[in-house]
Amino acid sequence: MTNSTQISRRDVLKLMGLGAGGAFLSACGLLPSASTNPTAAPVFPTPLTPLPDLPILSAELTAGRGTLPIFSGKETPVWRYQASVKEGGGDFIQTLSGSYLGPIFRVKQGQRVQVRLNNELPDPTIIHWHGLKIPEEMDGHPRYAVAPGKSFDYDFQVINRAGMYWFHPHPHQLTGPQVYYGLAGLFIVSDEEEAALGLPAGEYDLPLVIQDRIFDSQNQMVYLANGMMDSMIGFLGDTILVNGSPNAILDVKASAYRLRLLNGSNSRIYKFAWQDGTPLTVIATDGGLLETPVTRDYITMGPGERVELWADFSGRNAGSEMKLVSLPYTDFSGGGGMMGGGMMGSSGLPNGTPFDILRLMIGEKGADVNPLPSQLSTIERHAVNDAVNGNNPRSFRLAMQGMVHTINNRLFEMDAVAQDEIVRLNDLEVWEFVNLEGSGGGMGMGMMNMEMPHPMHIHGVQFQVLERQIARGFESAYQELSGGFVDEGWKDTVLVMPGETVRVLVRFENYTGIYLYHCHNLEHEDAGMMRNYRIKG
Ligand SMILES: [Cu+2]
């Protein structure tokens, strides 16, 4: 099959092992209605054989407004997704009670997922499934945003390997505020390889979404109080929330845990560490398990990135405490100084501010600890020699122009794809993100360094980091954070620091169509630091 988009619904059902089951599905009301979104029949890739005995997960997510008691006193108005499961059983969807975040999908590789998004917000919205390899119509491009009162039907098969992916709004120029006011959830995929490892599961598997916010005296979230200046740097708050809770404390047992961290902040960069200096044991990144566990003294995470930790508290005494913190580092926002923390700064606390993130209170003895396997997975390494452009990377120059950030001197255009933004299906390419003022012919603000960190995200793929280079003059600030990058595994978002050039190896497989690449600093993205690219069959 050369063009996957031409698969008919009958083929889809055949692929799913459902044969002539369409009538049955229709009778149960499980097929998406054709009326809500103008997309073609769902398409699934051919290589994966559907797993047997997996129900279709069918759910509705309603994006709407509500209030929550985040602090004592007045409740906080939030935006959130509320889930109702239509089919597939409650096991596949967990809600985070008392939080604006969620829900958490827990699905198996191979599973088919149908989600109807109902928009009960005052603005257009659409969901992007961050990190998933799904058809372009399902990917949440802003051109599919639905108006208030309307719905959008998703229908796709999960082909990603085990890992923690996530979902959030992606409407043009509104992603920042919609995520900020609470819209985001997790999409956790498991597979057989992972299940065989005996990693901590159930109550010992803890997703942790870290975000920063500003609240006023009435417990209302405050967004971009400094207007353009906040927007140019990116929103930075003064209060850290974990899974929607400030001053987060978690009771744990003396056992091993799998801690799945998502930096769900709009623009803050964290330097996570255990306060007592215990090294962090990392077992997974954006696209799932590493080949072998690695240790770091600290971990650097930009917005959109995920890291999974294995943390063994079994040797610790009941009543003791472990604290996850974000360590201080030199602020680099716009070169620091005047732009970073001074009169032109963001209204919150600058990047590099130290924070307590999460206190873990250790209690009674828990489940026996399985030793952490020394081999977690196998990752087929892309080779630069196999890339179609190994000697000539596809280069994306990140620059500040006026008050906005551009990619190759361009801002987002809803439908445009430039000649140099077209790739061929199944090609392996080297992409390079160059974060050096002057590299883009930009017009910064005179004498100041205008490079800011940009967490670059490519939709529809998982890639491997090939190399990083830091330009002269940027080394000292860089070295405060570079020891915390975890580039050993699959990534869909990579932090590109001021003065840095990052090269990644990326194969465009599975689907043709128009996808996005952009900065995951959500204020940069909303201001146009985003472009389409097209995978051509
Ligand atoms: Cu950016």
Short mmCIF file of all heavy atoms in Angstrom, two decimals, residues 239-277:
data_model
loop_
_atom_site.label_atom_id
_atom_site.label_comp_id
_atom_site.label_asym_id
_atom_site.label_seq_id
_atom_site.Cartn_x
_atom_site.Cartn_y
_atom_site.Cartn_z
N THR A 239 4.62 30.21 41.45
CA THR A 239 4.11 29.11 42.27
C THR A 239 4.19 27.82 41.46
O THR A 239 3.75 27.78 40.32
CB THR A 239 2.62 29.37 42.63
OG1 THR A 239 2.54 30.62 43.31
CG2 THR A 239 2.06 28.26 43.50
N ILE A 240 4.79 26.79 42.07
CA ILE A 240 4.91 25.50 41.39
C ILE A 240 3.74 24.61 41.78
O ILE A 240 3.39 24.51 42.97
CB ILE A 240 6.23 24.80 41.79
CG1 ILE A 240 7.44 25.67 41.45
CG2 ILE A 240 6.33 23.42 41.13
CD1 ILE A 240 7.67 25.90 39.98
N LEU A 241 3.17 23.96 40.79
CA LEU A 241 2.12 22.98 41.05
C LEU A 241 2.54 21.63 40.49
O LEU A 241 3.13 21.55 39.41
CB LEU A 241 0.80 23.40 40.40
CG LEU A 241 0.23 24.73 40.92
CD1 LEU A 241 0.54 25.85 39.96
CD2 LEU A 241 -1.25 24.62 41.19
N VAL A 242 2.26 20.58 41.26
CA VAL A 242 2.48 19.22 40.78
C VAL A 242 1.12 18.55 40.68
O VAL A 242 0.37 18.50 41.67
CB VAL A 242 3.41 18.42 41.74
CG1 VAL A 242 3.59 17.00 41.23
CG2 VAL A 242 4.75 19.11 41.87
N ASN A 243 0.79 18.09 39.52
CA ASN A 243 -0.54 17.54 39.25
C ASN A 243 -1.64 18.50 39.71
O ASN A 243 -2.69 18.08 40.20
CB ASN A 243 -0.73 16.16 39.90
CG ASN A 243 0.19 15.12 39.28
OD1 ASN A 243 0.81 15.37 38.25
ND2 ASN A 243 0.30 13.96 39.90
N GLY A 244 -1.39 19.77 39.58
CA GLY A 244 -2.39 20.78 39.89
C GLY A 244 -2.41 21.24 41.34
O GLY A 244 -3.25 22.07 41.71
N SER A 245 -1.50 20.72 42.17
CA SER A 245 -1.48 21.10 43.58
C SER A 245 -0.24 21.90 43.94
O SER A 245 0.88 21.48 43.64
CB SER A 245 -1.48 19.86 44.49
OG SER A 245 -2.64 19.11 44.29
N PRO A 246 -0.42 23.05 44.61
CA PRO A 246 0.74 23.79 45.12
C PRO A 246 1.28 23.12 46.38
O PRO A 246 0.56 22.36 47.05
CB PRO A 246 0.16 25.16 45.43
CG PRO A 246 -1.29 24.91 45.74
CD PRO A 246 -1.69 23.70 44.93
N ASN A 247 2.52 23.39 46.72
CA ASN A 247 3.15 22.82 47.93
C ASN A 247 2.91 21.32 48.02
O ASN A 247 2.45 20.80 49.04
CB ASN A 247 2.60 23.48 49.20
CG ASN A 247 2.76 24.99 49.15
OD1 ASN A 247 3.85 25.49 48.85
ND2 ASN A 247 1.68 25.72 49.38
N ALA A 248 3.18 20.64 46.94
CA ALA A 248 2.76 19.24 46.84
C ALA A 248 3.54 18.33 47.78
O ALA A 248 4.77 18.41 47.87
CB ALA A 248 2.92 18.76 45.40
N ILE A 249 2.79 17.51 48.49
CA ILE A 249 3.35 16.49 49.38
C ILE A 249 2.72 15.16 49.00
O ILE A 249 1.51 15.09 48.77
CB ILE A 249 3.03 16.79 50.86
CG1 ILE A 249 3.62 18.14 51.26
CG2 ILE A 249 3.55 15.69 51.76
CD1 ILE A 249 3.27 18.55 52.68
N LEU A 250 3.54 14.13 48.92
CA LEU A 250 3.03 12.83 48.50
C LEU A 250 3.47 11.80 49.54
O LEU A 250 4.64 11.73 49.89
CB LEU A 250 3.63 12.50 47.14
CG LEU A 250 2.93 11.54 46.22
CD1 LEU A 250 1.51 11.98 45.92
CD2 LEU A 250 3.73 11.44 44.92
N ASP A 251 2.51 11.02 50.02
CA ASP A 251 2.85 9.90 50.91
C ASP A 251 3.24 8.71 50.06
O ASP A 251 2.47 8.29 49.20
CB ASP A 251 1.65 9.54 51.78
CG ASP A 251 1.38 10.61 52.84
OD1 ASP A 251 2.36 11.15 53.38
OD2 ASP A 251 0.20 10.89 53.11
N VAL A 252 4.43 8.19 50.30
CA VAL A 252 4.87 7.00 49.56
C VAL A 252 5.28 5.92 50.55
O VAL A 252 5.45 6.19 51.74
CB VAL A 252 6.06 7.32 48.62
CG1 VAL A 252 5.64 8.28 47.53
CG2 VAL A 252 7.25 7.87 49.40
N LYS A 253 5.43 4.71 50.05
CA LYS A 253 5.88 3.61 50.89
C LYS A 253 7.38 3.40 50.69
O LYS A 253 7.96 3.90 49.73
CB LYS A 253 5.10 2.35 50.54
CG LYS A 253 3.63 2.46 50.97
CD LYS A 253 2.84 1.25 50.60
CE LYS A 253 1.39 1.40 51.11
NZ LYS A 253 0.46 0.53 50.38
N ALA A 254 7.96 2.66 51.59
CA ALA A 254 9.39 2.33 51.45
C ALA A 254 9.49 1.21 50.42
O ALA A 254 9.50 0.03 50.75
CB ALA A 254 9.96 1.90 52.79
N SER A 255 9.50 1.63 49.15
CA SER A 255 9.57 0.69 48.04
C SER A 255 10.09 1.45 46.83
O SER A 255 10.47 2.61 46.94
CB SER A 255 8.17 0.11 47.76
OG SER A 255 8.24 -0.87 46.75
N ALA A 256 10.12 0.78 45.68
CA ALA A 256 10.60 1.44 44.46
C ALA A 256 9.43 2.03 43.69
O ALA A 256 8.35 1.44 43.62
CB ALA A 256 11.36 0.45 43.59
N TYR A 257 9.67 3.18 43.11
CA TYR A 257 8.64 3.89 42.34
C TYR A 257 9.13 4.21 40.95
O TYR A 257 10.33 4.40 40.71
CB TYR A 257 8.26 5.20 43.04
CG TYR A 257 7.32 5.00 44.21
CD1 TYR A 257 7.80 4.56 45.44
CD2 TYR A 257 5.96 5.23 44.07
CE1 TYR A 257 6.94 4.36 46.51
CE2 TYR A 257 5.09 5.04 45.14
CZ TYR A 257 5.58 4.60 46.36
OH TYR A 257 4.73 4.40 47.41
N ARG A 258 8.17 4.27 40.05
CA ARG A 258 8.41 4.80 38.71
C ARG A 258 7.77 6.19 38.71
O ARG A 258 6.55 6.33 38.79
CB ARG A 258 7.74 3.90 37.69
CG ARG A 258 7.88 4.38 36.25
CD ARG A 258 7.22 3.37 35.30
NE ARG A 258 7.57 3.65 33.93
CZ ARG A 258 7.28 2.84 32.91
NH1 ARG A 258 6.63 1.70 33.13
NH2 ARG A 258 7.63 3.16 31.68
N LEU A 259 8.61 7.22 38.65
CA LEU A 259 8.12 8.60 38.67
C LEU A 259 8.21 9.15 37.25
O LEU A 259 9.31 9.27 36.69
CB LEU A 259 8.97 9.45 39.63
CG LEU A 259 9.06 8.95 41.06
CD1 LEU A 259 9.99 9.86 41.88
CD2 LEU A 259 7.68 8.89 41.72
N ARG A 260 7.06 9.45 36.68
CA ARG A 260 7.02 9.91 35.28
C ARG A 260 6.83 11.43 35.29
O ARG A 260 5.74 11.91 35.61
CB ARG A 260 5.87 9.25 34.53
CG ARG A 260 5.84 7.72 34.61
CD ARG A 260 4.75 7.24 33.66
NE ARG A 260 4.40 5.86 33.82
CZ ARG A 260 4.42 4.98 32.81
NH1 ARG A 260 4.83 5.35 31.62
NH2 ARG A 260 4.01 3.74 33.00
N LEU A 261 7.88 12.15 34.94
CA LEU A 261 7.83 13.61 35.00
C LEU A 261 7.50 14.20 33.63
O LEU A 261 8.12 13.86 32.62
CB LEU A 261 9.21 14.16 35.43
CG LEU A 261 9.50 14.29 36.93
CD1 LEU A 261 9.34 12.98 37.64
CD2 LEU A 261 10.90 14.85 37.13
N LEU A 262 6.55 15.11 33.63
CA LEU A 262 6.28 15.95 32.46
C LEU A 262 6.48 17.39 32.86
O LEU A 262 5.88 17.85 33.84
CB LEU A 262 4.83 15.75 31.98
CG LEU A 262 4.26 16.87 31.08
CD1 LEU A 262 4.98 16.94 29.74
CD2 LEU A 262 2.76 16.68 30.85
N ASN A 263 7.33 18.11 32.13
CA ASN A 263 7.36 19.56 32.29
C ASN A 263 6.20 20.11 31.48
O ASN A 263 6.29 20.29 30.27
CB ASN A 263 8.69 20.16 31.83
CG ASN A 263 8.69 21.69 31.98
OD1 ASN A 263 7.69 22.29 32.36
ND2 ASN A 263 9.82 22.30 31.69
N GLY A 264 5.08 20.34 32.16
CA GLY A 264 3.88 20.85 31.50
C GLY A 264 3.74 22.35 31.62
O GLY A 264 2.67 22.90 31.41
N SER A 265 4.84 23.01 31.96
CA SER A 265 4.84 24.47 32.09
C SER A 265 4.83 25.13 30.72
O SER A 265 5.25 24.54 29.73
CB SER A 265 6.09 24.93 32.85
OG SER A 265 6.22 24.22 34.06
N ASN A 266 4.36 26.37 30.68
CA ASN A 266 4.33 27.08 29.40
C ASN A 266 5.74 27.40 28.90
O ASN A 266 6.01 27.30 27.71
CB ASN A 266 3.52 28.37 29.53
CG ASN A 266 2.02 28.10 29.51
OD1 ASN A 266 1.57 27.08 30.01
ND2 ASN A 266 1.26 29.02 28.93
N SER A 267 6.65 27.83 29.82
CA SER A 267 7.98 28.17 29.31
C SER A 267 9.12 27.92 30.28
O SER A 267 10.27 28.07 29.90
CB SER A 267 8.01 29.64 28.83
OG SER A 267 8.43 30.49 29.85
N ARG A 268 8.82 27.53 31.52
CA ARG A 268 9.89 27.39 32.50
C ARG A 268 10.74 26.16 32.24
O ARG A 268 10.25 25.10 31.86
CB ARG A 268 9.33 27.31 33.93
CG ARG A 268 10.42 27.26 35.00
CD ARG A 268 9.86 27.39 36.42
NE ARG A 268 9.27 28.69 36.67
CZ ARG A 268 9.95 29.81 36.92
NH1 ARG A 268 11.27 29.78 36.97
NH2 ARG A 268 9.32 30.95 37.12
N ILE A 269 12.06 26.32 32.47
CA ILE A 269 13.02 25.23 32.35
C ILE A 269 13.48 24.84 33.75
O ILE A 269 13.86 25.71 34.55
CB ILE A 269 14.20 25.65 31.46
CG1 ILE A 269 13.70 25.84 30.03
CG2 ILE A 269 15.34 24.63 31.51
CD1 ILE A 269 14.61 26.65 29.16
N TYR A 270 13.42 23.55 34.05
CA TYR A 270 13.77 23.07 35.39
C TYR A 270 15.10 22.34 35.38
O TYR A 270 15.49 21.74 34.38
CB TYR A 270 12.68 22.12 35.90
CG TYR A 270 11.32 22.77 36.04
CD1 TYR A 270 10.40 22.72 34.99
CD2 TYR A 270 10.96 23.44 37.21
CE1 TYR A 270 9.16 23.33 35.11
CE2 TYR A 270 9.72 24.04 37.34
CZ TYR A 270 8.83 23.98 36.28
OH TYR A 270 7.59 24.59 36.39
N LYS A 271 15.75 22.40 36.55
CA LYS A 271 16.97 21.65 36.80
C LYS A 271 16.68 20.75 38.00
O LYS A 271 16.98 21.09 39.14
CB LYS A 271 18.12 22.63 37.07
CG LYS A 271 19.47 21.99 37.28
CD LYS A 271 20.57 23.05 37.44
CE LYS A 271 21.94 22.41 37.65
NZ LYS A 271 23.03 23.39 37.76
N PHE A 272 16.03 19.63 37.71
CA PHE A 272 15.53 18.76 38.78
C PHE A 272 16.65 17.98 39.44
O PHE A 272 17.56 17.48 38.77
CB PHE A 272 14.51 17.76 38.24
CG PHE A 272 13.22 18.37 37.78
CD1 PHE A 272 12.78 18.21 36.47
CD2 PHE A 272 12.43 19.09 38.67
CE1 PHE A 272 11.57 18.77 36.05
CE2 PHE A 272 11.23 19.66 38.26
CZ PHE A 272 10.80 19.49 36.95
N ALA A 273 16.55 17.85 40.76
CA ALA A 273 17.51 17.03 41.51
C ALA A 273 16.86 16.59 42.81
O ALA A 273 15.88 17.19 43.26
CB ALA A 273 18.78 17.84 41.80
N TRP A 274 17.42 15.52 43.39
CA TRP A 274 17.05 15.18 44.77
C TRP A 274 17.82 16.14 45.68
O TRP A 274 19.02 16.35 45.49
CB TRP A 274 17.41 13.74 45.11
CG TRP A 274 16.62 12.72 44.36
CD1 TRP A 274 17.10 11.79 43.49
CD2 TRP A 274 15.20 12.50 44.42
NE1 TRP A 274 16.08 11.01 43.00
CE2 TRP A 274 14.90 11.43 43.55
CE3 TRP A 274 14.15 13.11 45.11
CZ2 TRP A 274 13.61 10.95 43.36
CZ3 TRP A 274 12.85 12.63 44.92
CH2 TRP A 274 12.58 11.57 44.07
N GLN A 275 17.12 16.68 46.66
CA GLN A 275 17.75 17.70 47.48
C GLN A 275 18.97 17.18 48.23
O GLN A 275 19.92 17.92 48.47
CB GLN A 275 16.73 18.27 48.49
CG GLN A 275 17.27 19.49 49.21
CD GLN A 275 16.36 19.90 50.35
OE1 GLN A 275 15.81 19.06 51.05
NE2 GLN A 275 16.21 21.20 50.53
N ASP A 276 18.95 15.88 48.60
CA ASP A 276 20.07 15.35 49.39
C ASP A 276 21.25 14.92 48.51
O ASP A 276 22.22 14.35 49.01
CB ASP A 276 19.60 14.18 50.27
CG ASP A 276 19.23 12.94 49.47
OD1 ASP A 276 19.31 12.97 48.21
OD2 ASP A 276 18.84 11.94 50.08
N GLY A 277 21.17 15.19 47.21
CA GLY A 277 22.31 14.89 46.34
C GLY A 277 22.32 13.49 45.77
O GLY A 277 23.21 13.15 44.99
#
